[in-house]
Amino acid sequence: MIDKINANPIGVRSSLKPANQVSFRGGYTEAITDGLKQANAIRKMKSMKRFEGEIGGILITALGTGLVAPIFIGFNPFVRAPKGASEEEKQEVRNTKQYTAMRQPISAVLAMLFQASVQKYIDQGLDKVFNDKERAKKVSIYKDQQDLLTDTRVEAMVKEEMKNEKKPSFIKGLFSQEARAQRKAYSEKFEARVDAIKEERINKIAGKFQDTGYIWAGQRKLDDKTTADLLKKQINEYIDDAKKLKKSPERIAFYEERAKVLAENEAFFREKFAPIKDLIAAKDPKANSEATKLVNELLKDEKVNSDVKQVLQEILDRSEDLRAHRIGRTLERIDTINAACGGKYDAKKYRKALNHRNTILDDVITDLTKTTKKLETGKLDNKFIQGIIDEVSKICNINNRGKDAKNILENTDTFGTEGKDILKKIYKDVTKKYKDLVKNHYKSWNQIVKIGVGVFITLPITCTALNWVYPRFMEIFFPKLAGVKKDTVQKEQQAGGDK
């Protein structure tokens, strides 16, 4: 039995899931994130997702323009009075730099007002074209969103559904813990509804694809060549992820060495980690703090050998909220090693198990690669594409691969024992590829429209508003600088007139 032999030993950092969580769709999941040392940093980065897209770019640019640019303009060492200039002339240069620097925050505010505010209306206008059945059928099928719906359209639908559910303002959230909790609850509910609608749309298109053999956009069907290309991309993702699950000779050597350390010190780990295991089982919130305390104590113990201390240090290197989890994984890893060796650790059996696992994955990769070759050389039509999908589903069926493969691949997202479920998932995965294709084509058009509006409409308006607002703002709030600048301009005009 080689159950979960692909799970990484403690201390090995990998972007792959354990065997019972493998996803052949690529990308990180919560399970993977929680296993990384940088888990907290990743979660914080995800919380900044709201700054994605055009509005996020405008806000970040405005922030830089309003806060950073004035510093470099106001204290620019390369702009200074000429050598031998009087103190009055030097002060005039300093005033000019400060006057110019103050223009940046005003420019940033106006940019946010005019440029960011118009984004919403551009999206609404485009949504009326690409989501509407009658209008969308007149555009390219690669931009037709009538069945998928754009993200902005889905979000607008959910906002309408939740219009009676009040969300506390951002300002209230700054001063009230209750308001912050309400905002969080509202946002989570909003995102869940958005995801549910998107999932429903994908399932509907995928179901029709499976029933008819075609991906439909309204009354139009996607051409066979494009469908075959999407299928090939999806199969290649399966292949790439299978390759990542393989163990290189260097990694196998490392796993053997680590397995030896865990096996030779099994009694120590089981005894010392038992209290933490009990806290984990009881879901005690003190599990991580107790784990940290225990590991620190063991690291100071001179009786603990260096190999064990290396394992302990790797646990301590994790963020504190993951240390109890890593202790639990260490004990699970010992069980996995023993199971792979037939009950008791044996270096030869363990090496053989790892190599045999690679052989099974090689067979999967070879079989999947053959299907991509057929897509490159075969006659692309509806019947042929469905035949390839059927073939891929059989390759992914654990029942067709023997006992050892079942122990490795059971309970994964792609591999399974129910042919109809595997088949359904493949059609859904290809449909998601179709969604990405349409989204990319639509995004390109969306950006072209927004650039055009920005260059020919909002930018001229912003510049005109800036030229009108800025001198008046300075006269009200910084009269000294404004007066100096006005006097300078008048002197220059007078000097020019005298000449």
Side-chain angles (χ1 to χ4, degrees):
M1 181 178 179
I2 316 175
D3 187 27
K4 297 184 183 178
I5 202 68
N6 63 322
N8 291 330
I10 188 74
V12 179
R13 295 169 187 164
S14 170
S15 62
L16 297 174
K17 296 180 182 178
N20 62 341
Q21 293 179 318
V22 175
S23 171
F24 272 32
R25 291 176 293 176
Y28 284 101
T29 64
E30 291 302 321
I32 298 172
T33 300
D34 289 343
L36 294 173
K37 183 179 178 180
Q38 302 85 356
N40 286 334
I42 292 174
R43 283 193 285 267
K44 288 178 182 178
M45 290 173 67
K46 284 184 177 180
S47 68
M48 299 183 70
K49 189 176 180 181
R50 71 190 72 178
F51 294 108
E52 288 183 345
E54 291 84 359
I55 292 181
I58 291 170
L59 294 177
I60 292 172
T61 301
L63 188 66
T65 301
L67 299 180
V68 180
I71 298 173
F72 291 94
I73 295 173
F75 299 95
N76 188 346
F78 300 104
V79 177
R80 52 178 178 247
K83 189 175 181 180
S86 65
E87 186 58 35
E88 183 182 12
E89 290 173 326
K90 291 179 181 179
Q91 184 59 45
E92 184 177 326
V93 171
R94 286 193 290 268
N95 289 338
T96 300
K97 288 197 292 184
Q98 291 175 20
Y99 184 89
T100 305
M102 289 301 299
R103 186 182 180 91
Q104 304 309 306
I106 308 300
S107 175
V109 171
L110 292 175
M112 286 190 288
L113 286 175
F114 291 106
Q115 295 179 32
S117 62
V118 80
Q119 302 295 314
K120 173 183 176 181
Y121 299 103
I122 294 174
D123 284 329
Q124 289 179 349
L126 293 174
D127 282 350
K128 289 180 180 179
V129 175
F130 294 98
N131 293 296
D132 181 78
K133 291 184 178 180
E134 293 302 316
R135 296 187 180 98
K137 68 182 183 181
K138 298 177 183 178
V139 304
S140 165
I141 191 173
Y142 302 121
K143 300 185 186 75
D144 190 338
Q145 300 259 24
Q146 61 177 292
D147 291 323
L148 290 166
L149 297 184
T150 58
D151 291 346
T152 49
R153 176 56 182 154
V154 174
E155 290 168 3
M157 290 168 59
V158 175
K159 284 179 182 177
E160 181 64 24
E161 292 175 3
M162 297 177 66
K163 64 182 179 181
N164 294 325
E165 301 181 35
K166 294 183 179 180
K167 178 182 180 181
S169 68
F170 176 76
I171 300 299
K172 285 185 178 180
L174 292 176
F175 302 100
S176 169
Q177 185 175 354
E178 182 181 356
R180 284 197 298 273
Q182 290 174 351
R183 281 180 61 84
K184 183 180 179 182
Y186 178 93
S187 297
E188 289 175 349
K189 188 174 183 179
F190 178 83
E191 290 174 6
R193 288 192 182 185
V194 168
D195 290 340
I197 292 175
K198 291 179 180 179
E199 187 74 6
E200 180 186 0
R201 292 275 170 169
I202 287 289
N203 288 334
K204 186 175 180 180
I205 297 171
K208 193 173 181 179
F209 178 25
Q210 185 170 354
D211 292 340
T212 66
Y214 292 104
I215 295 176
W216 294 83
Q219 300 300 314
R220 294 183 292 177
K221 55 189 179 184
L222 195 66
D223 62 278
D224 292 325
K225 184 181 183 307
T226 303
T227 304
D229 288 340
L230 296 176
L231 175 58
K232 183 180 176 182
K233 287 181 180 179
Q234 186 58 54
I235 296 172
N236 282 332
E237 278 196 14
Y238 296 158
I239 293 171
D240 288 342
D241 285 330
K243 288 178 179 177
K244 291 175 185 177
L245 290 171
K246 289 183 62 180
K247 306 301 179 188
S248 67
E250 294 78 15
R251 302 314 294 168
I252 288 176
F254 176 85
Y255 295 163
E256 288 178 16
E257 184 63 30
R258 180 49 56 86
K260 180 181 178 183
V261 172
L262 295 178
E264 290 179 349
N265 298 278
E266 178 178 351
F268 173 88
F269 286 119
R270 290 195 185 280
E271 177 190 350
K272 299 299 183 181
F273 288 171
I276 306 302
K277 183 180 179 181
D278 292 338
L279 291 175
I280 295 171
K283 297 183 179 179
D284 193 314
K286 296 186 296 183
N288 284 304
S289 60
E290 290 298 317
T292 301
K293 180 180 177 181
L294 173 64
V295 172
N296 278 317
E297 289 176 354
L298 293 175
L299 283 170
K300 294 176 183 177
D301 190 342
E302 295 181 358
K303 296 180 181 179
V304 177
N305 67 59
S306 59
D307 290 334
V308 170
K309 284 190 175 181
Q310 183 179 350
V311 175
L312 295 171
Q313 186 60 52
E314 288 167 356
I315 294 173
L316 193 62
D317 286 343
R318 301 284 176 175
S319 60
E320 185 174 359
D321 61 335
L322 298 175
R323 288 168 189 163
H325 168 75
R326 294 307 298 176
I327 285 177
R329 287 286 294 115
T330 302
L331 296 176
E332 289 177 8
R333 185 62 191 164
I334 292 172
D335 293 336
T336 299
I337 293 167
N338 290 338
C341 300
K344 185 178 180 181
Y345 172 73
D346 181 280
K348 290 182 179 179
K349 289 182 179 180
Y350 187 64
R351 185 185 305 112
K352 183 179 179 181
L354 287 171
N355 287 321
H356 181 57
R357 179 180 174 281
N358 275 357
T359 300
I360 291 172
L361 287 168
D362 280 333
D363 290 341
V364 173
I365 293 167
T366 299
D367 291 343
L368 289 172
T369 302
K370 288 178 180 178
T371 63
T372 63
K373 297 296 183 183
K374 290 180 181 179
L375 283 171
E376 293 172 357
T377 58
K379 181 181 179 182
L380 299 180
D381 57 27
N382 172 268
K383 186 176 180 181
F384 177 78
I385 292 171
Q386 284 189 303
I388 294 294
I389 293 176
D390 288 339
E391 189 173 337
V392 173
S393 71
K394 291 175 182 177
I395 293 171
C396 295
N397 194 320
I398 296 172
N399 292 331
N400 299 330
R401 295 201 164 269
K403 181 181 177 181
D404 289 342
K406 183 175 182 179
N407 291 331
I408 297 170
L409 303 171
E410 195 170 23
N411 299 321
T412 61
D413 285 344
T414 296
F415 293 102
T417 56
E418 295 295 330
K420 62 179 182 180
D421 292 336
I422 300 170
L423 197 63
K424 182 178 180 181
K425 185 177 187 308
I426 295 171
Y427 277 104
K428 186 174 180 178
D429 285 345
V430 177
T431 302
K432 288 180 179 180
K433 283 284 176 290
Y434 160 68
K435 180 180 179 178
D436 291 339
L437 175 72
V438 174
K439 188 174 182 177
N440 288 334
H441 277 81
Y442 171 78
K443 186 177 180 180
S444 298
W445 179 252
N446 182 287
Q447 289 177 337
I448 290 171
V449 171
K450 287 178 177 177
I451 290 172
V453 171
V455 171
F456 297 107
I457 299 177
T458 58
L459 185 59
I461 292 174
T462 302
C463 292
T464 301
L466 178 62
N467 290 333
W468 188 89
V469 169
Y470 181 58
R472 290 163 175 78
F473 173 86
M474 294 298 290
E475 287 177 2
I476 294 172
F477 294 100
F478 299 95
K480 184 177 179 181
L481 282 177
V484 169
K485 185 65 180 174
K486 186 181 291 185
D487 291 343
T488 302
V489 172
Q490 289 175 349
K491 288 178 182 179
E492 290 176 351
Q493 291 176 343
Q494 184 177 1
D498 293 341
K499 290 179 181 179

